Amino acid sequence: MYVLPPFGIADTAAQQELVRAHPLGTWIVLDGGEPVANPVPFLLDPSRGEFGTLVGHVARANPVWKTCARGEASLVVFQGPQAYVSPSWYASKREHGKVVPTWNYATVQAHGVARALEDPADVLRIVGQLTDHFEAGREHPWRVADAPAEFTAQLARVIVGIEIPLTRLVGKWKVSQNRGEADRAGVATGLRAETDAQAREMASLVERPPR
């Protein structure tokens, strides 16, 4: 990923937080020399490895899991908030007019070598981990044990667990860091006036970008 110095974020904690907040990653691998991309919700386990380990699962019918046996590199892209930035929001527009539209975004690219887990016990463990994580905080959280045992046993045969121990994280927060203070303030104000929730989330990043 091309990253200009103002936009590169090396803070591992900030990178991991974006992954946790936006867990639907695009998992990219090479299959027969062709790139293959699959959207997969991942749980990040920060306790396993320097950068953490991604945990998820795919349908057994999806051939992507078979690429794990070859030990090829995986790339998972996590997209955080993003928003269009109008040049009309810049204070400098009123000063000299030399401004153009742009797009702000925050993204993390996670690198590692994936492994497939086919054992039903491992599959159910992963399903349980993801379920417990994403159900946490609900008034009546659903548990895997709520489903009939024969149903979950059948489920474990038609999905494959995926773990990706991460070797590198690359973060890019393009959130107006290259603009002056007055322009950034104008961008934040403009974004907060939008009806899109992502635009308002981006306004907070413009005001307080991670380091």
Side-chain angles (χ1 to χ4, degrees):
M1 176 168 58
Y2 175 64
V3 184
L4 281 172
F7 307 132
I9 301 299
D11 184 348
T12 299
Q15 295 166 342
Q16 291 177 331
E17 179 54 37
L18 184 143
V19 172
R20 282 190 289 267
H22 302 273
L24 183 65
T26 301
W27 178 25
I28 304 166
V29 295
L30 288 177
D31 189 6
E34 292 292 326
V36 177
N38 282 270
V40 178
F42 282 105
L43 171 65
L44 175 63
D45 183 349
S47 68
R48 298 166 59 192
E50 180 180 359
F51 300 103
T53 296
L54 296 176
V55 180
H57 58 76
V58 297
R60 182 173 287 276
N62 185 341
V64 66
W65 67 270
K66 297 179 181 178
T67 65
C68 298
R70 297 198 289 270
E72 295 183 356
S74 284
L75 169 65
V76 186
V77 180
F78 294 93
Q79 181 63 56
Q82 49 84 29
Y84 172 77
V85 175
S86 171
S88 65
W89 295 339
Y90 293 141
S92 54
K93 174 184 179 295
R94 295 182 291 275
E95 298 170 7
H96 50 67
K98 298 177 181 179
V99 293
V100 294
T102 191
W103 207 280
N104 276 7
Y105 56 87
T107 186
V108 168
Q109 294 187 354
H111 298 258
V113 176
R115 56 183 179 232
L117 290 81
E118 297 185 70
D119 186 282
D122 289 328
V123 171
L124 289 177
R125 171 179 56 82
I126 288 174
V127 171
Q129 286 178 326
L130 269 73
T131 300
D132 291 346
H133 175 77
F134 293 117
E135 289 281 336
R138 296 181 181 274
E139 184 177 359
H140 302 290
W142 185 86
R143 308 293 186 194
V144 173
D146 292 344
E150 63 273 16
F151 172 75
T152 55
Q154 180 183 12
L155 175 70
R157 292 193 292 270
V158 297
I159 63 177
V160 175
I162 300 295
E163 292 187 341
I164 308 178
L166 298 179
T167 57
R168 184 160 60 105
L169 288 170
V170 181
K172 183 177 182 181
W173 269 250
K174 183 180 177 294
V175 294
S176 300
Q177 303 99 311
N178 59 329
R179 308 298 307 188
E181 183 177 350
D183 279 356
R184 292 197 304 273
V187 170
T189 299
L191 288 169
R192 290 197 185 282
E194 301 285 274
T195 58
D196 182 12
Q198 286 200 72
R200 295 192 293 273
E201 188 176 354
M202 177 54 66
S204 296
L205 289 178
V206 169
E207 292 170 337
R208 294 179 298 278
R211 301 296 180 184

